[in-house]
Amino acid sequence: MDWYMMNCELLATCSALGYLEGDVYHREPDCLESVKDLIRYLRHEDETRDVRQQLGAAQILQNDLLPLLVQYPQDKVLFDAVVRLLVNLTQPALLCFGKVPADATSRHHFLQVLSYLQAYKEAFASEKVFGVLSEKLYDVLQLDWEQRQEEDTLLIERILLLVRNVLHVPPDPTEKQDVDGDASVHDRVLWALHISGMDDLLKFLASAQSEQQWALHVLEIISLMFRDQSPEQLAALGQGQAAAERGEDTRELETLRQRELAEKRARALQRPSRHSRFRGSYVIQGLKAIGDNDVVFHKGLHNLQSYSHDLGKEPRRVPRRRWAPPDPGPSRRSARNVRLFLCHFCQDFLEGCYNRLMLLVKDQLLREKAQQHDETYYLWATAFFMAFNRSRGFRPELVSETVGVRAFHFIEQNLTTYYEMALMDKKEAVTWARRMHLALKAYQELLRTVQEMDRSPEPAVRDSSQVIKNNIFYLTEYRELLLALFRKFDETKQPRAFLRDLVETAHLFLRMLEHFCRGRAGLVVQSKRVRRKKKPRAPAALAPQPPSAAELEELWAGLAPQLQACLQGEVPLPEDVVPFDAASETPVEEQRAEALLRIQGCLRGAQAPEALRLLRCAREVWPEGDVFGPSGAGPPEETQLLREIFFAALPRHAPPEAEEPEELEKEEVEEDEEEQTVQVAEKEFNFMDYLKRFACAPVVRACALLLRGYAQNSARTNHCAARLLHRLARDLRMEALLFQLSLFTLFHRLLNDPGAAAHQELVALAKFILGKFFALAATNKKAFVELLFWKNPTAVREMTEGYSSLQEGEGAAARRAPAWTPQEEQALRELYWKYKEVEGQDVIAAILAELPAPGRTRRQVVKHLVRLGLASSAKDFPQQRKGTHIVLWTEEQEQELERLFEEFRGSDDVLGNIMKNLTARRSRAHVVEKLLGLGLVSERKELHKKRRRKGRGPELGEADALVVSAQDSSAEEGDSEEEEEEEEEEAESDPVEEHWVPEEGAGQGLVHLLHQEGLAGPLQWLENCLRRTAGDREQEGLSFPVPLVPLSEENEDAMEDRRFRALLRELGLRPPASEQESFWRIPATLTPQQLRRAAASLVHHSPNPEGLPQHPEGLPAPPRHPQAPASAAEQLPAPLGSDSESEEPVPVPLQSGSKRRRQLDSEDEDGGSPEAEPAAAAPRSEDDDDPQPAGRRKRARRLEEEEEED
């Protein structure tokens, strides 16, 4: 479309604005309405911004709008409308299109709008336009805030936005070709702004107490005013340094002239004295051509140095996504009068506005009153004005607002945010890198200001700098920030200017830190260590507790009237109710239980019509057995049936476990989510240890990349890069860290450069590194190969001290898996082919079990099988996860479970016998849940092992007691998991019987052992509790359970002791019966006489009471009573040094006969006898002891059970 051919309506609207005759603009009667129409057209333009382009092509702004603005400022309504239109027309192209378009068509429209904006900016370079705007702004600012209307506030904001938009327009690329000192369009706009007095109004807005809301607008305008300026150059202006400035330009020209003369001399030396018409042909010995012969060179010898095999080849194209971002060009030097005006503006701004304005802006940023990314203006102002102040006399009080620990923290926080966003937001990484560069420059300027404060003659300023340095050098974040930026530097996303400032900042930081550490012994800094630990698995969702009987009665009372209304037909019943799920895998005949649950759920949810309809439909589907009532049931029968269903305790199925999807082998180890905990500590700081953190490949690579352009770099940039490399090579004695081919290529170019005399520091570094390399190459022939790789300190040590100098466990080899030998590979192949065809077996697990090389992991074996070509990928070996290979019960398995239940229903251990004979291995929890789900049992207690309630016969003598005691001592190894869990369940569900009467002298053997262990105090406390309770019961005549509350730490430790708890059981005391109880209790059934008898048995009489049998280890065995828990040997505590607090109590029900006694009784019934196995009766030796305590084994088994359930 030809934008010069305007739309008819748009053309008519523009024609109705008016016309220009000479220098006078005559407006039409409909001028105001036409301006409003143009605003309306702009509001509804398309994505190509067609209206904006047509108005730009017709130059409406230059020919109509600006004359209207200048000649009719007294018409307030028209002036406001014109300003609104100008703000819309001059808004940046990025705001119009959102971002720079990628496709060619949209990019063309973007560039067209940008060209119109540049024409607008040239039109605004008029003193008349800015004069009118300044007068209007001045008039509005003269009004007090009580007299100021909303239209006045909007006018101030629009004028500021208009100035911002004009200054924001980028310069024309063709304009940059002008020489320094010429007045550009931007300079002319600034001069017009200065002549009109707008700069004074901006300083007023920045400093006035009543104009705080315009702080960000003013800061944005000021940042655009100084966009192309250098603070150092502005600071040097007006101080009698014009001659120095000219001298610097002269030196630059002289350097270029010397370089050119050196190149001419070099070419003259290469040219032969006599011209050769045919130039000749030469053979370059030692340089092979494509074949086996040497290269034949057909050019003059003076061109031999530039010969390369790459001559004539087409250069490799670099993808656009890997192009380096454009580097901002050098700051342009404006006209001298403009620079003088800006210099005076900076001085006035620092003296009267800077601290206040920066405080307001930071407050708005912290309170999130600003727009997104407005903090970039704050960062720019910090870097610019602090650099100006530092270069022009340095008065720290002028920038006190941005000098301090809070300023460092704010800039470091933003720099870290930009750094993280650049890593995450890949598409906008270049934009985030520009913001990161602004933050880095502000951080660098803060460091330079603190360094300048150290040189201040005022002691207070020097003390302030010491406080700041103490804080920033103490915290880990500031010390690690530059290292993180070096490691994540990406030359395709970040410009060369960012790298330059990063190297200069690192040099400055290291220099300040080194100076700070000098003369300070024992400097302490903060150290942070991140510890990762696995989060505990979230507990499974608990099933909802069923309502109590009282709650059910209350619910039924409220449900009965509604149910009667449904039975009498007063309430209609729903029609679309189906009692079974046709899509379910469960047959319809087996869904009766689910139907009962649905009816019960509807009743308890107060949905009587649905429940009644479900009952009647279920009766039609399952008429057999009259489960849902007879076919002709009336309302009374249905009411009674619904009541029975409502109150019934129906077993509910647990939700089925979802099968976990197979994952890649790289995640074959099941990793729980990790939670990170940061441990903060303090350590003594060593500067050389900190400097070693910079001895890494990213730092050296960044310095090498920066030094590639040493001829264009400033002298300070080259000095900082060379000094940083010198620290690594000389101070750390890691010269080999710089033995890299790209660096050597740079050194070669530098040493052959005719203008190398201007870079003496780099030349000295190059000669030093090359000398060290050739000295090492004389002893290490592999040094030439090492040139191809970037190195770390470990490789440097191996390269200089020998490749076998690292001890075992040092360097990267300590974390690397050992190499596979040919014998191990052969064994791996044989094992793989051996177990490959075995069905139902984990191939990798079988290989690991028989692999001769110890220490191999599953991942290593899988990766090596893939490397050998025996497998295509790690997906060929999915790891079987516990609890997921068997989830659902098949019909045959359910029938087998029902058969086994009927077979062992009358046995003492129903669940144990089922577990032993079940074909498919299931956990006990799964079997119990399935038995409950099938309705074979109504509660878990029915599956508990039945205990024999008969006392130990009188025929059991002392020898038999020793046999039982010996068997008890080895009980931990002989018992099965099911028995131990059953013991715990039995203890929880069946509390200790309280009718047992302690015999006189009961537990004296344990009392003697506890006295030897130093528990005399807790025994005395227990005796006092028993006697006090006996006295209370005699006085009051009432008996109730009395808890034993240990108030001292010694008594608490005793209550955790297993021997002490065994003594409590022998005395007839009751352990906690449920989770609500925490303490042992003195039962209410014990009389005062029995309590006194138990207390008397706690008195320590002699080391070895007579008649007491001896323990196999030489300790006296405690006497047993009819309901004692096996023997004292079973209750032996953990050895000294073990974690006694982690041992869980083993609650044993005080029933007739202990567990071991019951085993003996069962063996007698089966025809066996305990004497038939003398080995089992023998005491265990120390070598046979299980090193793992019983409590830990039980917890481990519980964890395994939970994993199987999961």
Side-chain angles (χ1 to χ4, degrees):
M1 177 180 180
D2 189 1
W3 300 114
Y4 291 96
M5 300 296 294
M6 294 184 64
N7 182 276
C8 297
E9 296 181 0
L10 196 59
L11 179 59
T13 305
C14 294
S15 301
L17 290 173
Y19 60 93
L20 186 64
E21 185 177 2
D23 293 335
V24 180
Y25 190 86
H26 302 276
R27 61 176 180 176
E28 297 289 344
D30 297 334
C31 179
L32 178 61
E33 286 74 15
S34 300
V35 172
K36 293 181 179 180
D37 288 340
L38 290 177
I39 296 175
R40 192 177 304 110
Y41 290 150
L42 285 172
R43 190 180 303 144
H44 297 92
E45 62 182 353
D46 60 6
E47 63 276 2
T48 63
R49 305 294 180 255
D50 53 342
V51 176
R52 194 177 303 272
Q53 292 193 51
Q54 293 183 47
L55 293 178
Q59 297 183 354
I60 298 298
L61 185 141
Q62 296 92 322
N63 299 331
D64 295 277
L65 298 182
L66 289 183
L68 277 174
L69 185 76
V70 173
Q71 297 186 20
Y72 298 96
Q74 67 279 1
D75 191 344
K76 185 177 180 180
V77 179
L78 179 61
F79 186 86
D80 290 347
V82 171
V83 170
R84 285 179 59 196
L85 182 56
L86 289 175
V87 170
N88 197 338
L89 281 176
T90 58
Q91 69 178 0
L94 281 174
L95 289 180
C96 297
F97 290 87
K99 62 178 182 179
V100 179
D103 58 300
T105 304
S106 300
R107 192 176 184 86
H108 171 73
H109 295 309
F110 175 84
L111 295 176
Q112 196 68 33
V113 171
L114 189 60
S115 65
Y116 294 141
L117 288 174
Q118 291 166 354
Y120 295 162
K121 184 173 184 178
E122 189 170 0
F124 268 94
S126 170
E127 299 176 9
K128 295 181 180 180
V129 175
F130 274 100
V132 172
L133 293 176
S134 300
E135 290 177 3
K136 277 291 182 181
L137 184 59
Y138 178 79
D139 293 340
V140 177
L141 292 177
Q142 289 296 314
L143 300 175
D144 294 336
W145 64 272
E146 299 93 347
Q147 302 173 354
R148 197 177 295 178
Q149 304 295 325
E150 184 178 359
E151 294 80 5
D152 299 328
T153 304
L154 289 176
L155 181 59
I156 295 175
E157 184 176 7
R158 287 168 183 159
I159 291 176
L160 293 177
L161 287 177
L162 180 59
V163 176
R164 190 278 312 265
N165 291 345
V166 173
L167 293 174
H168 188 275
V169 178
D172 191 356
T174 59
E175 184 188 24
K176 289 187 175 182
Q177 298 177 1
D178 298 339
V179 297
D180 285 350
D182 285 352
S184 62
V185 175
H186 191 74
D187 292 342
R188 284 186 277 138
V189 171
L190 291 177
W191 188 251
L193 184 144
H194 170 59
I195 295 299
S196 64
M198 181 68 73
D199 56 336
D200 296 328
L201 294 177
L202 292 175
K203 287 184 285 187
F204 171 76
L205 290 174
S207 59
Q209 177 73 24
S210 59
E211 309 296 342
Q212 298 181 5
Q213 56 182 328
W214 315 117
L216 274 168
H217 291 79
V218 172
L219 187 61
E220 186 176 1
I221 291 173
I222 293 174
S223 68
L224 294 172
M225 288 171 58
F226 293 91
R227 181 173 55 189
D228 296 332
Q229 305 300 324
S230 170
E232 290 81 5
Q233 293 180 0
L234 286 180
L237 195 65
Q239 291 184 337
Q241 297 184 1
E245 184 177 325
R246 288 194 297 270
E248 183 179 354
D249 295 342
T250 305
R251 283 193 298 271
E252 291 180 5
L253 289 175
E254 185 64 27
T255 302
L256 294 176
R257 181 173 176 273
Q258 292 296 333
R259 181 185 296 273
E260 184 178 2
L261 291 177
E263 291 177 355
K264 286 183 178 180
R265 287 195 300 268
R267 286 196 298 268
L269 291 175
Q270 291 178 358
R271 188 179 303 116
S273 58
R274 181 178 180 275
H275 174 68
S276 175
R277 181 173 297 178
F278 301 101
R279 293 184 293 185
S281 297
Y282 306 92
V283 175
I284 305 177
Q285 293 183 357
L287 186 61
K288 297 296 182 183
I290 298 177
D292 296 333
N293 299 327
D294 293 336
V295 173
V296 179
F297 188 64
H298 297 283
K299 294 184 179 181
L301 291 177
H302 60 280
N303 294 322
L304 181 60
Q305 297 295 332
S306 61
Y307 175 77
S308 172
H309 286 302
D310 295 333
L311 290 176
K313 294 182 180 179
E314 184 179 355
R316 184 178 181 181
R317 296 186 60 185
V318 180
R320 182 183 294 272
R321 66 177 182 275
R322 298 191 64 184
W323 285 6
D327 204 17
S331 57
R332 183 184 177 278
R333 189 178 301 170
S334 301
R336 183 174 178 81
N337 56 348
V338 176
R339 285 186 288 150
L340 283 172
F341 143 63
L342 293 177
C343 178
H344 293 311
F345 182 90
C346 284
Q347 287 181 317
D348 297 341
F349 183 77
L350 280 172
E351 292 176 358
C353 312
Y354 178 80
N355 287 329
R356 176 172 181 78
L357 180 65
M358 297 299 279
L359 177 64
L360 293 175
V361 170
K362 187 174 181 180
D363 181 70
Q364 293 184 17
L365 292 174
L366 295 178
R367 296 176 182 272
E368 298 183 355
K369 295 181 180 179
Q371 295 182 357
Q372 197 174 15
H373 309 311
D374 275 350
E375 71 276 358
T376 55
Y377 301 112
Y378 179 88
L379 298 174
W380 173 88
T382 301
F384 187 90
F385 288 104
M386 291 182 70
F388 181 87
N389 178 61
R390 179 176 50 84
S391 303
R392 196 177 180 89
F394 185 65
R395 297 167 58 187
E397 67 275 4
L398 299 182
V399 292
S400 58
E401 175 58 34
T402 52
V403 177
V405 179
R406 293 185 178 179
F408 271 99
H409 173 70
F410 180 78
I411 294 174
E412 184 270 337
Q413 196 175 25
N414 282 280
L415 185 56
T416 306
T417 302
Y418 298 152
Y419 159 76
E420 293 173 352
M421 290 303 299
L423 296 179
M424 292 187 294
D425 191 0
K426 300 294 185 181
K427 293 184 178 180
E428 299 295 331
V430 177
T431 305
W432 289 110
R434 285 199 295 267
R435 299 186 182 118
M436 190 173 7
H437 190 192
L438 283 174
L440 179 63
K441 291 174 69 175
Y443 187 77
Q444 177 187 2
E445 195 51 51
L446 274 177
L447 290 176
R448 289 187 175 181
T449 302
V450 173
Q451 185 186 32
E452 196 69 27
M453 291 171 66
D454 280 338
R455 305 168 185 169
S456 175
E458 301 179 9
V461 177
R462 293 198 302 270
D463 294 342
S464 300
S465 70
Q466 290 298 321
V467 172
I468 295 174
K469 289 193 293 184
N470 275 326
N471 283 275
I472 63 174
F473 292 151
Y474 175 78
L475 295 178
T476 308
E477 290 79 5
Y478 299 110
R479 300 195 308 271
E480 299 294 327
L481 179 61
L482 299 175
L483 279 169
L485 296 179
F486 268 119
R487 292 193 185 102
K488 296 300 180 181
F489 175 76
D490 186 359
E491 58 181 320
T492 63
K493 303 294 188 300
Q494 295 162 310
R496 188 72 61 88
F498 176 85
L499 181 58
R500 181 189 64 240
D501 289 326
L502 177 59
V503 172
E504 292 181 2
T505 307
H507 167 73
L508 179 61
F509 188 86
L510 289 174
R511 185 178 178 183
M512 293 176 61
L513 183 57
E514 183 181 19
H515 181 73
F516 184 78
C517 296
R518 194 175 299 162
R520 284 181 171 85
L523 180 63
V524 176
V525 296
Q526 187 186 75
S527 174
K528 289 187 178 181
R529 183 180 179 185
V530 180
R531 295 193 62 183
R532 295 175 176 86
K533 61 180 181 180
K534 292 185 177 179
K535 290 184 179 179
R537 290 190 177 184
L542 300 177
Q545 295 293 333
S548 61
E551 294 176 349
L552 290 177
E553 289 290 349
E554 185 179 353
L555 288 174
W556 179 258
L559 185 66
Q562 183 181 1
L563 187 60
Q564 292 299 326
C566 295
L567 290 172
Q568 295 174 5
E570 298 177 2
V571 177
L573 301 182
E575 298 296 334
D576 53 343
V577 175
V578 181
F580 60 89
D581 186 3
S584 176
E585 297 181 358
T586 307
V588 177
E589 292 77 10
E590 300 178 8
Q591 295 189 26
R592 287 184 299 179
E594 297 293 336
L596 285 172
L597 289 173
R598 290 178 60 188
I599 295 173
Q600 187 184 69
C602 292
L603 290 173
R604 294 184 178 181
Q607 299 176 358
E610 289 81 357
L612 184 59
R613 172 59 68 184
L614 270 175
L615 178 68
R616 293 175 179 177
C617 294
R619 185 187 307 153
E620 297 176 0
V621 176
W622 297 288
E624 60 274 3
D626 293 340
V627 177
F628 298 96
S631 57
E637 290 85 355
E638 289 182 336
T639 304
Q640 182 62 26
L641 184 58
L642 289 174
R643 178 181 174 84
E644 293 177 359
I645 295 175
F646 180 82
F647 285 96
L650 300 178
R652 296 183 178 272
H653 292 283
E657 298 179 357
E659 296 189 8
E660 300 181 8
E662 297 181 357
E663 300 178 359
L664 299 178
E665 189 59 28
K666 67 190 312 182
E667 300 176 353
E668 43 86 13
V669 179
E670 184 175 2
E671 297 180 355
D672 295 334
E673 295 182 1
E674 293 182 348
E675 58 181 6
Q676 296 184 356
T677 57
V678 179
Q679 293 183 346
V680 181
E682 288 186 342
K683 67 175 183 179
E684 188 173 348
F685 182 75
N686 188 340
F687 177 75
M688 297 306 295
D689 291 341
Y690 176 71
L691 185 59
K692 290 177 183 177
R693 303 288 305 279
F694 287 84
C696 56
V699 176
V700 181
R701 188 185 298 116
C703 293
L705 180 62
L706 181 61
L707 289 177
R708 287 181 190 174
Y710 67 90
Q712 292 79 31
N713 294 340
S714 64
R716 173 171 176 77
T717 301
N718 289 335
H719 166 72
C720 294
R723 188 70 181 91
L724 184 55
L725 293 178
H726 182 269
R727 286 182 182 274
L728 302 180
R730 188 65 179 270
D731 297 352
L732 297 180
R733 300 183 181 277
M734 291 187 183
E735 301 88 355
L737 196 66
L738 307 185
F739 294 169
Q740 218 283 331
L741 196 58
S742 59
L743 264 176
F744 280 23
T745 305
L746 172 64
F747 292 159
H748 176 72
R749 183 161 59 93
L750 174 65
L751 295 176
N752 292 328
D753 188 359
H759 312 288
Q760 289 298 326
E761 192 173 12
L762 291 178
V763 171
L765 177 65
K767 291 181 178 179
F768 172 73
I769 296 299
L770 291 174
K772 291 292 184 179
F773 172 75
F774 289 115
L776 178 64
T779 58
N780 184 5
K781 300 301 181 184
K782 297 180 181 178
F784 296 97
V785 182
E786 294 281 3
L787 287 175
L788 301 175
F789 308 101
W790 298 100
K791 287 165 280 295
N792 54 21
T794 304
V796 169
R797 181 178 172 185
E798 289 182 338
M799 187 176 175
T800 55
E801 299 181 9
Y803 292 97
S804 59
S805 60
L806 291 181
Q807 300 296 327
E808 184 177 357
E810 293 183 353
R815 301 183 298 271
R816 198 178 302 128
W820 290 77
T821 62
Q823 294 79 11
E824 293 173 355
E825 290 183 352
Q826 183 62 28
L828 181 62
R829 287 190 182 94
E830 294 176 357
L831 291 173
Y832 174 73
W833 291 113
K834 176 181 177 182
Y835 293 105
K836 179 183 179 182
E837 303 299 334
V838 179
E839 297 183 359
Q841 184 176 7
D842 190 356
V843 179
I844 306 301
I847 292 176
L848 287 172
E850 298 189 19
L851 200 63
R856 296 290 182 184
T857 63
R858 182 184 182 91
R859 180 179 299 181
Q860 293 173 4
V861 173
V862 171
K863 289 176 66 176
H864 205 66
L865 286 174
V866 175
R867 188 178 295 113
L868 293 176
L870 299 176
S872 58
S873 67
K875 296 181 181 180
D876 298 342
F877 307 102
Q879 185 181 14
Q880 296 181 358
R881 301 184 181 277
K882 293 184 177 181
T884 58
H885 55 287
I886 300 179
V887 177
L888 301 178
W889 289 74
T890 63
E891 184 177 357
E892 293 78 8
Q893 292 173 353
E894 291 182 353
Q895 294 175 358
E896 180 189 12
L897 183 62
E898 294 176 355
R899 179 181 58 80
L900 292 175
F901 177 77
E902 296 295 335
E903 180 180 350
F904 297 107
R905 171 180 285 184
S907 63
D908 294 341
D909 188 7
V910 180
L911 186 58
N913 293 327
I914 291 176
M915 294 294 297
K916 293 177 182 177
N917 295 275
L918 200 62
T919 303
R921 189 178 183 281
R922 303 270 184 171
S923 66
R924 294 172 62 87
H926 284 172
V927 175
V928 172
E929 291 294 334
K930 193 62 181 177
L931 290 173
L932 291 172
L934 293 176
L936 300 178
V937 294
S938 59
E939 55 184 359
R940 297 175 183 269
K941 287 187 177 181
E942 298 181 18
L943 299 174
H944 291 169
K945 185 185 296 184
K946 296 181 177 60
R947 310 298 186 186
R948 296 183 181 274
R949 301 280 182 178
K950 64 179 182 178
R952 184 169 295 172
E955 69 278 0
L956 184 63
E958 184 175 331
D960 295 334
L962 286 177
V963 171
V964 173
S965 176
Q967 288 187 350
D968 289 342
S969 64
S970 60
E972 299 297 339
E973 186 174 340
D975 285 350
S976 63
E977 299 176 4
E978 292 82 0
E979 291 180 1
E980 291 184 358
E981 291 182 358
E982 198 64 38
E983 287 278 344
E984 296 175 0
E985 292 179 1
E986 193 76 21
E988 294 177 359
S989 59
D990 190 11
V992 178
E993 297 180 2
E994 300 181 356
H995 63 271
W996 177 76
V997 179
E999 299 178 357
E1000 186 174 359
Q1004 288 189 0
L1006 282 176
V1007 171
H1008 173 66
L1009 295 178
L1010 293 174
H1011 269 282
Q1012 289 183 346
E1013 293 182 2
L1015 296 180
L1019 290 174
Q1020 183 65 35
W1021 163 71
L1022 179 60
E1023 179 185 353
N1024 294 337
C1025 291
L1026 293 175
R1027 294 186 186 278
R1028 190 185 310 112
T1029 305
D1032 294 342
R1033 291 182 179 180
E1034 282 184 348
Q1035 293 178 3
E1036 300 175 0
L1038 298 175
S1039 296
F1040 50 86
V1042 178
L1044 294 175
V1045 182
L1047 299 179
S1048 65
E1049 185 177 356
E1050 183 183 11
N1051 295 341
E1052 289 182 1
D1053 295 340
M1055 296 299 292
E1056 297 293 331
D1057 188 271
R1058 298 178 66 182
R1059 287 185 193 271
F1060 196 84
R1061 292 197 302 267
L1063 175 63
L1064 296 179
R1065 292 181 185 277
E1066 290 198 11
L1067 296 179
L1069 305 187
R1070 180 172 62 84
S1074 63
E1075 295 181 356
Q1076 282 74 22
E1077 294 184 1
S1078 302
F1079 305 106
W1080 286 67
R1081 280 168 168 74
I1082 302 175
T1085 57
L1086 294 181
T1087 63
Q1089 293 78 14
Q1090 294 169 350
L1091 291 176
R1092 289 194 176 92
R1093 191 183 310 125
S1097 65
L1098 296 178
V1099 180
H1100 183 54
H1101 297 288
S1102 63
N1104 187 12
E1106 296 181 1
L1108 199 65
Q1110 294 292 324
H1111 195 268
E1113 282 82 358
L1115 298 177
R1120 303 177 59 85
H1121 53 82
Q1123 294 173 345
S1127 66
E1130 184 179 352
Q1131 303 292 338
L1132 285 176
L1136 293 178
S1138 64
D1139 188 8
S1140 60
E1141 295 183 0
S1142 64
E1143 298 290 340
E1144 297 182 2
V1146 186
V1148 181
L1150 296 181
Q1151 299 171 352
S1152 58
S1154 66
K1155 184 163 91 176
R1156 297 301 166 204
R1157 178 61 183 170
R1158 288 193 300 273
Q1159 284 187 350
L1160 294 175
D1161 294 339
S1162 63
E1163 291 174 356
D1164 293 338
E1165 292 177 0
D1166 296 336
S1169 63
E1171 293 80 8
E1173 298 181 3
R1180 292 176 59 190
S1181 63
E1182 295 180 359
D1183 298 335
D1184 297 332
D1185 287 344
D1186 190 350
Q1188 189 177 13
R1192 296 182 182 177
R1193 285 204 305 273
K1194 291 179 182 179
R1195 287 194 296 275
R1197 282 193 288 271
R1198 288 196 198 101
L1199 291 175
E1200 293 176 0
E1201 291 274 16
E1202 292 172 1
E1203 290 178 356
E1204 291 177 359
E1205 292 177 11
D1206 293 338

